[in-house]
Amino acid sequence: MIEPVQLPSPWQDARLTVVVPTYNEAGNLPTLVERLLALPLPGLRILVVDDNSPDGTGDVADKLAIEHPARIEVVHRAGKEGLGRAYVDGLGRAIEGGAEYVAQMDADLSHPPEALPGMLGALISTQASVVIGSRYVPGGELDENWPLYRRALSGWANLYVHTLLRVRIRDLTAGFKVWRADALRDIGLDRVQSNGYSFQVEMHYLATKLGHTILEVPIRFEERQEGLSKMTTATKVESALMPFRLRSKHRNITR
């Protein structure tokens, strides 16, 4: 586990909301919350967006919110509508709640929370609109236990999207990011149509088309310890078709 960067004041006091979508993550959420709240970021808040998880993740989140009422908020959605819809809901609520910066990360502990202070510092100290925790820039790593077929799928997906959309990002499918709230307002969450994992690609494409600067910093991506991957055949099909839809829908996008 890496040691989190100690940011100088007033950077460490920035209003940062971490949006965490959940579906059957009862075994991982308490550990993630503990690690997030241990970071030297007193302005950090957590927004859990739960899609009515059958394993009781929503109840776990509610208990954590009671224990930390000033730092954790829980949004309960009626059912599983897809990662993209959960993120659109959560990012929008974070902005409405007054966040200056908004992070997005998975609940399965694949993204190291300890990297967040460094990512926030990189965002504040540059003109970037978003900082991506990247697996595929120099210094980035994949857990050696990550299955070979997942490595192949991830690599192929990035190559496929690069070829079709010509977006100059090495980790186009990355889900660990810190955004400036103003950048999210400019992109317009109402423009986002993706339901599944292609949400990540659509957000990167929109940011690029609108001229936003995107910075990638290396992280170590860990294999999940609890629960199962949410990747389904339907999400794979959507992800395969999405680049064609994006080229058509957002070709002439303007502010």
Side-chain angles (χ1 to χ4, degrees):
M1 188 181 298
I2 63 172
E3 286 294 323
V5 171
Q6 296 286 330
L7 296 179
S9 184
W11 291 8
Q12 65 180 326
D13 300 314
R15 297 193 304 275
L16 170 67
T17 296
V18 183
V19 177
V20 183
T22 56
Y23 188 77
N24 289 348
E25 296 290 356
N28 290 316
L29 187 61
T31 301
L32 176 63
V33 165
E34 180 183 6
R35 289 169 65 180
L36 283 171
L37 294 183
L39 297 176
L41 297 173
L44 182 148
R45 303 293 181 268
I46 303 169
L47 178 60
V48 179
V49 184
D50 186 65
D51 276 5
N52 196 23
S53 299
D55 74 342
T57 302
D59 293 334
V60 172
D62 286 338
K63 291 176 182 177
L64 291 167
I66 291 172
E67 294 173 11
H68 308 279
R71 302 195 71 183
I72 300 176
E73 179 183 355
V74 184
V75 175
H76 294 279
R77 287 154 49 86
K80 190 176 182 183
E81 299 176 28
L83 183 70
R85 295 301 91 200
Y87 264 130
V88 167
D89 193 351
L91 295 173
R93 288 172 186 261
I95 294 171
E96 291 171 3
E100 300 173 279
Y101 307 96
V102 185
Q104 55 176 99
M105 66 187 304
D106 293 345
D108 62 5
L109 303 176
S110 59
H111 300 144
E114 293 74 22
L116 271 176
M119 292 169 65
L120 178 62
L123 187 70
I124 295 175
S125 63
T126 67
Q127 298 302 310
S129 295
V130 57
V131 169
I132 298 172
S134 177
R135 298 163 289 186
Y136 302 128
V137 293
E141 297 180 71
L142 287 170
D143 190 324
E144 55 274 7
N145 294 318
W146 213 40
L148 183 59
Y149 79 92
R150 292 287 301 278
R151 291 171 181 262
L153 179 62
S154 177
W156 177 86
N158 273 280
L159 177 61
Y160 174 75
V161 176
H162 272 295
T163 302
L164 291 176
L165 298 182
R166 304 293 182 185
V167 178
R168 298 180 64 183
I169 301 172
R170 294 201 181 190
D171 198 346
L172 269 164
T173 58
F176 189 25
K177 287 169 271 195
V178 181
W179 295 87
R180 293 182 186 270
D182 286 343
L184 291 173
R185 292 189 187 96
D186 185 56
I187 289 170
L189 294 170
D190 56 321
R191 287 184 168 125
V192 180
Q193 301 299 312
S194 303
N195 291 325
Y197 290 87
S198 56
F199 166 83
Q200 314 295 1
V201 174
E202 185 170 12
M203 289 294 289
H204 294 152
Y205 186 66
L206 285 168
T208 300
K209 291 286 285 185
L210 290 170
H212 288 277
T213 301
I214 300 171
L215 177 66
E216 292 183 84
V217 299
I219 64 161
R220 175 178 168 81
F221 183 88
E222 301 286 349
E223 173 66 316
R224 67 160 54 240
Q225 299 299 311
E226 298 273 351
L228 300 173
S229 171
K230 311 303 188 299
M231 182 71 72
T232 66
T233 299
T235 59
K236 292 175 184 177
V237 171
E238 183 199 26
S239 298
L241 295 176
M242 185 53 63
F244 296 98
R245 295 173 181 167
L246 292 180
R247 286 198 307 185
S248 174
K249 180 177 177 58
H250 301 309
R251 178 177 288 113
N252 299 314
I253 191 173
T254 59
R255 285 186 168 89

